[in-house]
Amino acid sequence: MDKAEFDKRATGYIKGAEDSPEIANAIESFKENLSYVAGGYEDGESFDNLNKHLEEIESTYASQQECNRIFYLALPPTVFIPVAKNLKEHCYNSKGGVNRIIIEKPFGKDLESARTLLSSVKQYWTEDETFRIDHYLGKEMVKNLLVLRFANIAMGAAWDKNSISNVQITFKEPFGTEGRGGYFDEFGIIRDVLQNHLLQVLTILTMERPVSFAAEDIRDEKVKVLRAIPPIEKEDTLLGQYVAANGKPGYLDDSTVPPNSICPTFAATTLWIHNPRWEGVPFVLKAGKGRFPLNEAKVEVRIQFKDVTQGIFKDIARNELVIRIQPSEAVYLKLNAKTPGLYTRAFPTEMDLTYKRRFAEAKIPEAYESLILDALRGDHSNFVRNDELDYAWKIFTPILHWIDGKNGQRPKPVPYPYGSRGPKELDDFIKKNGYRRSDGA
């Protein structure tokens, strides 16, 4: 493509230019910083051309002492290895300054492929130079979990198996594959969402207090949690696939999806953490496409506490702490309070911290915005370490091989209507894992 086409693609989805001269001018200024070099992923000469172009840009710098280069691989995972190799051999700046590489998920398809990818990239780039980006780690509420947990005695005191009955981490996407069926069918909902995004949320939710906020201290504690989680069992898994409903096509109606595909578009899995804090508490990870009539994806953590001691109270709602990661960031605690008046009756209510109301003037940065800034600063805290990735794949690989038919017949997902909460079997699944829905919920 030419420069004009590249600029159009780079800025075409930025909103507000029509209504705001300030945004329109900012976009034009941004375009001046963009440049485009065409080439082949496996062609060394193309990377020599890229290096010449980088040197031309760097020649305009006021100081020639330090030229820093960050390479962001927003590319098909099949070319990560040749691109990482060619960048190191042809575009690595050894004259002073840092060189860093950012890799987008998916980091492999299972444990074996992830190890191949990790070891291949490691041949050319050190762990310190490598940033594996999972944008959920840049979301405001995910980063807030550390502060909520470790800066509040009231939270920490009830944060274990003695008080908590079960935990659900839920991802709902209101649309289907919509033309991306080829990619999705190859990877599926577990690789797309559970194995990375939701598992990352779980580790931050359950890790022990780190010695400091330093990157390695945080990542050490996350790895300890992952090591305590055994591989997921078939019996602890529910798979679904959306079918046509509410005027919307089913998964198999998408022309980019292979005919008669039995790839799950919904998955619920139960994870168990075998350590003193969490032994016996089920953690249910749920993710699905074509669920719930919302305008955007919804991600939330729902921590349900145990029943109060029976006696003076009967059949009252359980306490729940809900952390909504998106949309409309919020933390709210479901409590029981006395109904106003002459009689003593308990009713459920909420202590509500909705960010849009409490922090009306604050600008919450986009996840990628904060993560790219972290990469510029060299802060690894919110990036995935290589051993962390290895343990994450160990948890999910057996269930993925079962779904892919590598250990016998592939399981057939149960159907659920587009726009519904998910498979009808979901209620029994979460009930089996200890969740109790109150009448007034």
Side-chain angles (χ1 to χ4, degrees):
M1 66 184 104
D2 59 17
K3 174 73 164 71
E5 171 64 17
F6 178 72
D7 287 352
K8 185 179 166 188
R9 289 198 194 192
T11 59
Y13 292 96
I14 300 175
K15 296 169 186 164
E18 300 82 9
D19 309 318
S20 165
E22 188 182 353
I23 293 175
N25 290 337
I27 290 173
E28 290 308 311
S29 172
F30 177 59
K31 284 178 182 176
E32 290 173 16
N33 287 314
L34 299 177
S35 53
Y36 173 72
V37 179
Y41 296 137
E42 306 199 30
D43 173 28
E45 195 176 327
S46 296
F47 287 84
D48 286 333
N49 291 338
L50 175 59
N51 191 55
K52 281 180 198 155
H53 181 66
L54 292 174
E55 287 174 344
E56 284 168 19
I57 294 170
E58 289 163 351
S59 68
T60 65
Y61 290 178
S63 167
Q64 298 295 312
Q65 298 301 311
E66 189 177 294
C67 296
N68 303 312
R69 294 180 179 182
I70 295 188
F71 302 98
Y72 193 126
L73 272 59
L75 298 170
T78 49
V79 299
F80 282 166
I81 295 169
V83 171
K85 175 179 182 288
N86 279 314
L87 284 173
K88 181 62 188 282
E89 292 177 350
H90 299 271
C91 300
Y92 194 89
N93 180 21
S94 52
K95 299 172 190 170
V98 298
N99 294 267
R100 293 179 185 138
I101 188 168
I102 302 177
I103 301 177
E104 276 270 19
K105 77 164 186 77
F107 314 112
K109 288 187 73 175
D110 57 12
L111 181 60
E112 188 182 352
S113 60
R115 282 178 172 173
T116 302
L117 177 63
L118 286 171
S119 61
S120 299
V121 172
K122 204 182 281 188
Q123 286 179 39
Y124 309 105
W125 296 85
T126 67
E127 184 65 19
D128 198 46
E129 292 171 327
T130 307
F131 291 75
R132 298 173 199 89
I133 199 164
D134 183 328
H135 72 276
Y136 269 54
L137 291 175
K139 288 187 180 290
E140 183 68 20
M141 289 307 297
V142 175
K143 295 202 283 188
N144 191 22
L145 282 171
L146 289 176
V147 178
L148 275 175
R149 285 194 57 198
F150 301 122
N152 296 291
I153 288 287
M155 286 283 189
W159 211 268
D160 60 24
K161 64 184 181 185
N162 300 315
S163 302
I164 292 172
S165 164
N166 60 87
V167 179
Q168 294 184 64
I169 305 175
T170 304
F171 170 97
K172 294 175 181 174
E173 212 164 42
F175 43 81
T177 47
E178 297 182 356
R180 289 179 69 242
Y183 165 84
F184 183 83
D185 206 80
E186 185 184 350
F187 288 94
I189 194 73
I190 292 180
R191 290 184 181 93
D192 205 33
V193 181
L194 270 74
Q195 185 273 340
N196 38 69
H197 301 327
L198 300 195
L199 190 64
Q200 286 294 330
V201 174
L202 181 143
T203 57
I204 295 171
L205 199 66
T206 57
M207 64 187 252
E208 296 299 320
R209 182 188 178 108
V211 176
S212 76
F213 274 131
E216 295 315 305
D217 289 337
I218 291 171
R219 300 198 298 183
D220 285 346
E221 295 303 332
K222 287 167 70 183
V223 166
K224 285 180 191 173
V225 171
L226 293 172
R227 290 179 65 186
I229 302 173
I232 299 161
E233 301 285 346
K234 296 177 191 177
E235 298 74 33
D236 284 334
T237 307
L238 173 66
L239 305 172
Q241 186 185 89
Y242 68 86
V243 294
N246 302 312
K248 296 285 188 178
Y251 179 67
L252 296 178
D253 299 325
D254 185 333
S255 61
T256 60
V257 170
N260 303 319
S261 168
I262 53 173
C263 173
T265 60
F266 169 91
T269 59
T270 309
L271 278 67
W272 305 88
I273 304 173
H274 296 316
N275 66 17
R277 183 185 290 273
W278 298 112
E279 186 71 60
V281 177
F283 288 82
V284 179
L285 273 52
K286 298 179 294 180
K289 288 183 170 289
R291 296 177 68 209
F292 239 64
L294 293 168
N295 292 326
E296 55 187 315
K298 179 180 181 181
V299 183
E300 71 176 22
V301 176
R302 188 172 292 265
I303 299 165
Q304 188 171 74
F305 293 88
K306 293 184 174 180
D307 290 316
V308 295
T309 305
Q310 297 300 303
I312 57 173
F313 298 112
K314 287 185 176 64
D315 298 325
I316 62 169
R318 285 177 167 180
N319 294 149
E320 283 186 13
L321 177 66
V322 181
I323 301 160
R324 192 188 306 131
I325 295 168
Q326 70 178 58
S328 186
E329 294 88 347
V331 181
Y332 57 94
L333 179 63
K334 294 188 173 187
L335 298 168
N336 293 300
K338 176 186 169 295
T339 309
L342 299 172
Y343 299 97
T344 303
R345 289 199 191 106
F347 80 103
T349 185
E350 294 170 357
M351 291 175 67
D352 186 353
L353 170 59
T354 297
Y355 271 45
K356 278 182 182 171
R357 288 200 293 269
R358 177 65 182 82
F359 306 109
E361 302 302 315
K363 179 194 175 293
I364 296 175
E366 290 292 328
Y368 279 106
E369 194 176 345
S370 64
L371 288 175
I372 291 171
L373 182 59
D374 284 345
L376 293 171
R377 290 171 168 166
D379 182 354
H380 281 86
S381 306
N382 297 308
F383 292 85
V384 184
R385 201 166 67 187
N386 61 343
D387 56 340
E388 193 179 337
L389 196 55
D390 198 79
Y391 286 113
W393 278 117
K394 279 181 181 172
I395 295 166
F396 280 93
T397 292
I399 208 84
L400 288 166
H401 283 180
W402 171 57
I403 292 167
D404 291 343
K406 293 188 176 178
N407 303 322
Q409 192 172 358
R410 294 180 69 183
K412 192 171 182 184
V414 295
Y416 64 95
Y418 190 112
S420 67
R421 283 182 58 243
K424 63 181 189 301
E425 292 83 356
L426 180 59
D427 284 341
D428 287 339
F429 183 87
I430 58 174
K431 193 175 178 182
K432 177 183 82 172
N433 284 290
Y435 185 76
R436 189 159 71 80
R437 196 182 299 281
S438 62
D439 293 337

